[in-house]
């Protein structure tokens, strides 16, 4: 066991392997307030990477409905239910992580999904929490709620899959922090599947090895965003980098949103893997539920999101979501535009701070007809 | 228990077992004429019921597997016989060829055996908490050219498939390459050779490669990129297509666990400590395992002398050691979650 820093839980923690953080860490932000669960990301990823034999159940990317959905089924609920209640004290996790709550010779605390758990990716889809009783009506805000949770591998700073692999077949790349399974070395023991709290490693019964989200590394090496990010029609995703344990850079949109404004939060930080997909929590969902999922900063993040129009820098960063197929590493708000540059210094995005609207003449004289202006 | 198990085996197949719980054959005697053993002589399985043996033309496997065979094979349950129990494993030398010796060949019935005690692995992570295979009976034979080990252990369920949460039975023989190598998969500087067999690979050989539709007959997939054939898109066809093969990632990466046309259910590996297990690109080791009567009977065989410096040195008249490991797939055994033994002294007779 080694002592490692975990800023997401506000303290150092025990981790089975001593390691140095990567030079930079691939990081994603998902604004799930905007997600409509169209699954375009899922299809883009599936078509691009996992259409092989034995990969039928492999979804590097999936979108599920909370609170009842999950792929594999109950991936998170099973782990939560098997562990003690989580406690935070002023931003510090006081209960043990999955690396700290077991005997020294045991792998990280986890569970292994069954075949049936992989059988119905859409179970629970669009199910709401609460019941629509007779006489129910909308009075300002819906009393029922649900939300869509888009998920990929978190390319964790302290991966449980990597810690659990007895063959050391899983590695975290020094150059960008992407976590990969060495397909030459894996012998299919499925320890990673049991250990990953997000269940984003999968066993391929044809290759007889485990496989996981590759972070679209061939694209990242060329400065391009992942397939799931590029294909997102709702522009809910931003793909970038952050430097671990460094002073956050306010010109880096990822750092501004995650580390400076703290608008986007990690998924289940209490597990201790320090995940690198950050979620802007859905503002209509009760905080009791969100705190379990995103940690103790949910209230502040929701409040900030409600008044984001008053924070021009933050708004500028958010407007660059889905604005380019290139990875934006630096941005600025210039007048009424937000501008993004990639790692080569090329300008790759320029978006207006306020969406331009045009009002056309009501009567089209050329065609002799009336027009409708739709907002 | 074996007596009862034999009866159950016969009665399930509806082969004339008398009512009342009396089995037609006692341990060590032959099943009646209507038993599966006799049926097998008519062609479905050519294992002979006329002797406690499977007649083996040298150099071939005698047990013919029809394409439609169920697995595990419906073998007769011959009595397993062993020579005297010893504490040192002695590989006796015979004049008959050892190459491709069958697990049920008569020569095994007189070869001495060592009852090797197995412990659940609890030295390194991940541990095996509970033991389900307490011992394995081990014999060895050689002919000056090849050496064969026969491993016999009890396992109620033959597990020969893998999928999410599904694991295969397996066994391994470990031999030291460097003297004084740790029995626990060697140590840095103390290398060991491991001869590994899996029921999964045996099943691949016996009844065909475990494809997706083998395990899930109702599977449907709209798309397998570059699959040259139609539903159910046999994986061998995909592997043979240069574009389709790119979707079999581990196979494309040269990972030997991902082979779809394995020539033997065995693999040679070396290790020098936990986590260092590495498959050898060339493998002269072969194996054959059969399951019946709640028992696995496995033969693993390799050339006695080889030019490969990564093969453990063995020679006629030589003394070395061997250790053994068994995995019970039905109990979730995989990787380090296994049963293993300490070193057992091994003498290769002159």
């Amino acid at each position: 066991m080694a002592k490692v820093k975990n800023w997401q839980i506000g303290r150092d923690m025990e981790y089975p392997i001593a390691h140095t953080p990567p030079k930079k860490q691939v990081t994603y932000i998902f604004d799930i307030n905007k997600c409509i669960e169209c699954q375009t990301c899922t299809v883009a990823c599936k078509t691009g990477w996992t259409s092989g034999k034995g990969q039928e159940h492999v979804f590097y990317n999936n979108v599920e409905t909370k609170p009842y959905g999950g792929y594999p089924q109950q991936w998170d609920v099973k782990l939560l239910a098997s562990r003690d209640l989580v406690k935070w004290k002023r931003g510090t996790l006081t209960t043990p992580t999955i690396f700290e709550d077991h005997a020294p010779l045991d792998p990280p605390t986890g569970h292994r999904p069954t075949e049936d758990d992989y059988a119905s990716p859409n179970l629970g889809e669009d199910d709401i929490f609460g019941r629509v009783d007779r006489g129910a009506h909308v009075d300002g805000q819906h009393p029922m709620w649900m939300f869509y949770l888009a998920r990929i591998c978190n390319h964790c700073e302290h991966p449980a899959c990597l810690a659990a692999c007895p063959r050391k077949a899983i590695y975290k790349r020094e150059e960008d922090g992407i976590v990969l399974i060495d397909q030459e070395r894996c012998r299919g023991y499925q320890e990673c599947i049991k250990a990953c709290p997000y269940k984003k490693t999968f066993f391929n019964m044809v290759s007889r090895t485990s496989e996981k989200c590759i972070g679209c590394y061939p694209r990242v090496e060329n400065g391009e965003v992942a397939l799931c990010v590029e294909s997102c029609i709702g522009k809910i995703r931003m793909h970038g980098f952050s430097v671990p344990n460094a002073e956050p850079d306010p010109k880096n949109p990822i750092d501004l949103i995650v580390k400076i404004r703290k608008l986007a939060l990690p998924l289940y930080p209490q597990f201790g893997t320090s995940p690198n997909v950050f979620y802007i929590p859905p503002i209509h969902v009760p905080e009791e539920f969100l705190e379990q999922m995103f940690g103790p900063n949910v209230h502040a993040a929701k409040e900030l999101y409600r008044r984001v129009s008053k924070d021009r820098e933050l708004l500028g960063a958010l407007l660059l979501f889905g604005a380019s197929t290139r990875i934006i590493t630096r941005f600025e708000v210039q007048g009424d535009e937000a501008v993004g540059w990639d790692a080569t210094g090329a300008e790759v995005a320029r978006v207006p701070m306020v969406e331009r609207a045009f009002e056309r003449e009501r009567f089209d004289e050329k065609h002799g007809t009336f027009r409708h202006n739709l907002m | 228990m074996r007596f009862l198990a034999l009866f159950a085996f016969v009665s399930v197949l509806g082969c004339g077992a008398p009512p009342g719980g009396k089995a037609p054959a006692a341990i060590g005697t032959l099943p009646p004429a209507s038993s599966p053993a006799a049926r097998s002589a008519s062609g479905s399985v050519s294992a002979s019921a006329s002797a406690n043996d499977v007649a083996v033309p040298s150099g071939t496997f005698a047990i013919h597997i029809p394409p439609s065979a169920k697995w595990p094979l419906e073998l007769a349950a011959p009595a397993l016989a062993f020579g005297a129990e010893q504490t040192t494993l002695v590989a006796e030398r015979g004049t008959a060829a050892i190459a491709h010796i069958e697990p049920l060949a008569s020569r095994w019935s007189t070869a001495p055996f060592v009852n090797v005690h197995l412990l659940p692995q609890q030295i390194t992570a991940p541990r095996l908490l509970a033991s389900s295979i307490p011992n394995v009976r081990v014999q060895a034979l050689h002919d000056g050219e090849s050496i064969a080990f026969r491993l016999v252990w009890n396992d109620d369920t033959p597990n020969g498939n893998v999928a999410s949460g599904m694991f295969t039975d397996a066994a391994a023989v470990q031999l030291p390459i460097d003297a004084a190598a740790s029995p626990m998969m060697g140590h840095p500087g103390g290398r060991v050779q491991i001869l590994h067999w899996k029921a999964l690979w045996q099943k691949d050989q016996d009844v065909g490669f475990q494809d997706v539709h083998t395990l899930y007959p109702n599977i449907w997939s709209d798309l397998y990129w570059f699959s040259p054939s139609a539903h159910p898109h046999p994986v061998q066809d995909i592997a043979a297509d240069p574009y389709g093969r790119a979707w079999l990632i581990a196979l494309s990466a040269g990972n030997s666990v991902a082979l779809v046309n394995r020539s033997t259910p065995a693999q040679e590996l070396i290790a020098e400590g936990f986590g260092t297990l590495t498959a050898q690109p060339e493998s002269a080791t072969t194996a054959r395992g059969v399951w019946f009567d709640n028992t696995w009977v496995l033969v693993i065989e390799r050339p006695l002398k080889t030019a490969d410096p990564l093969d453990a040195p063995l020679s006629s008249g030589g003394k070395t050691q061997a250790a053994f490991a068994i995995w019970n797939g039905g109990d979730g055994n995989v990787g380090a979650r296994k049963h293993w033994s300490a070193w057992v002294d091994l003498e290769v007779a002159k």
Side-chain angles (χ1 to χ4, degrees), chain A residues 25 61 69 88 119 133 163 169 175 180 223 263 270 279:
Chain A
Q25 172 63 53
N61 182 105
W88 295 85
D133 289 321
E175 62 267 38
L180 294 173
L263 176 67
Q270 62 267 39
Y279 293 86

Side-chain angles (χ1 to χ4, degrees), chain A residues 50-302:
Chain A
T50 62
S51 291
K53 201 110 199 255
Q55 295 179 314
E56 293 78 5
H57 67 302
V58 178
F59 286 95
Y60 294 168
N61 182 105
N62 78 295
V63 189
E64 59 204 38
T65 306
K66 288 294 173 194
Y68 296 120
Y71 186 77
Q73 266 174 53
Q74 302 190 358
W75 60 271
D76 49 351
V77 181
K78 281 186 186 173
L79 182 57
L80 293 168
S82 72
R83 307 181 73 238
D84 289 339
L85 283 178
V86 167
K87 288 185 181 141
W88 295 85
K89 191 172 182 185
R90 286 191 285 278
T92 298
L93 182 73
T94 58
T95 46
T97 65
I98 60 169
F99 305 110
E100 299 168 317
D101 62 352
H102 53 73
L105 281 184
D106 287 340
T109 301
H111 65 93
R112 185 177 279 125
T114 65
E115 283 174 293
D116 287 347
D117 292 335
Y118 290 107
S120 308
N122 283 3
L123 202 70
E125 185 178 26
D126 287 351
D127 280 355
I128 51 166
F129 183 83
R131 205 173 61 173
V132 185
D133 289 321
R134 183 183 295 232
H137 61 284
V138 179
D139 186 13
Q141 192 173 353
H142 285 280
M144 292 76 67
W145 57 271
M146 45 71 90
F147 65 96
Y148 301 123
L149 186 69
R151 302 203 303 118
I152 59 172
C153 168
N154 284 287
H155 298 282
C156 301
E157 200 168 329
H158 311 296
C161 59
L162 186 154
C165 180
R167 286 188 57 68
K168 306 178 183 86
I170 304 183
Y171 60 104
K172 188 168 175 64
R173 303 211 307 182
E174 188 189 359
E175 62 267 38
D176 53 19
I178 289 177
V179 178
L180 294 173
I181 299 177
D182 183 345
Q183 288 299 312
E184 205 178 336
R185 188 152 181 77
C186 175
R187 287 182 72 86
Y189 297 161
Q190 305 188 32
E191 295 293 339
C192 54
I193 294 167
K194 191 173 180 189
C196 171
Y198 304 99
K199 299 294 168 248
K200 279 296 176 188
T201 57
F202 299 87
F203 183 69
N204 180 325
M205 61 172 284
V206 165
S207 76
R208 298 158 178 188
T209 57
S210 296
E211 297 172 352
K212 68 173 287 301
C213 164
I214 58 172
C216 285
Y217 72 83
R219 294 173 59 92
V220 171
E221 287 169 6
N222 289 313
E224 291 166 352
V225 300
L227 287 174
C228 60
V229 176
E230 178 178 339
S231 63
C232 178
I233 61 164
K235 301 188 177 187
I236 78 152
R237 300 187 183 207
M238 168 161 276
H239 190 166
F241 298 104
S242 186
V243 179
N245 304 331
E247 194 63 31
D249 174 7
K251 294 293 179 196
N252 175 350
I254 295 278
D255 274 4
L256 181 80
I257 297 168
V258 173
K259 293 184 175 169
I260 298 173
R261 298 291 198 268
K262 298 185 171 66
L263 176 67
L265 307 172
L267 179 62
Y268 293 116
Q270 62 267 39
F271 294 156
T273 64
S274 202
N276 286 303
V277 178
F278 294 88
Y279 293 86
I280 301 176
I283 55 174
H284 64 291
V285 175
E287 282 175 19
E288 296 81 356
F289 187 85
L290 292 180
E291 280 175 3
Q292 174 177 253
M293 194 168 256
F294 301 113
N297 295 322
V298 164
H299 179 74
K302 282 170 72 169

Side-chain angles (χ1 to χ4, degrees), chain A residues 46-57 60 103-107 112-115 118 164 166-168 182-191 193-194 202-209 211, chain B residues 122-127 162-167 196 200-201 204 209-213 215-216 223-225 232-233 235 238 247-250 253 255 257-258 267 269 274-278 334-335 337:
Chain A
K46 186 85 184 144
T47 316
W49 297 122
T50 62
S51 291
K53 201 110 199 255
Q55 295 179 314
E56 293 78 5
H57 67 302
Y60 294 168
L105 281 184
D106 287 340
R112 185 177 279 125
T114 65
E115 283 174 293
Y118 290 107
R167 286 188 57 68
K168 306 178 183 86
D182 183 345
Q183 288 299 312
E184 205 178 336
R185 188 152 181 77
C186 175
R187 287 182 72 86
Y189 297 161
Q190 305 188 32
E191 295 293 339
I193 294 167
K194 191 173 180 189
F202 299 87
F203 183 69
N204 180 325
M205 61 172 284
V206 165
S207 76
R208 298 158 178 188
T209 57
E211 297 172 352
Chain B
Q122 297 182 343
I123 302 293
T124 189
R127 299 178 295 173
V162 292
S164 297
M166 190 184 290
F167 302 97
H196 193 22
L200 169 72
W201 299 337
D204 285 349
F209 184 81
Q210 177 205 272
D211 208 331
V212 179
H213 53 272
L215 216 51
Y216 304 104
L223 173 73
Y224 293 117
W225 281 121
H233 303 275
V235 72
I238 297 175
W247 288 88
L248 304 172
I249 306 163
N255 189 334
V257 306
Q267 188 179 45
L269 306 107
F274 298 127
T276 65
L277 187 67
T278 303
V334 65
R337 300 180 194 267

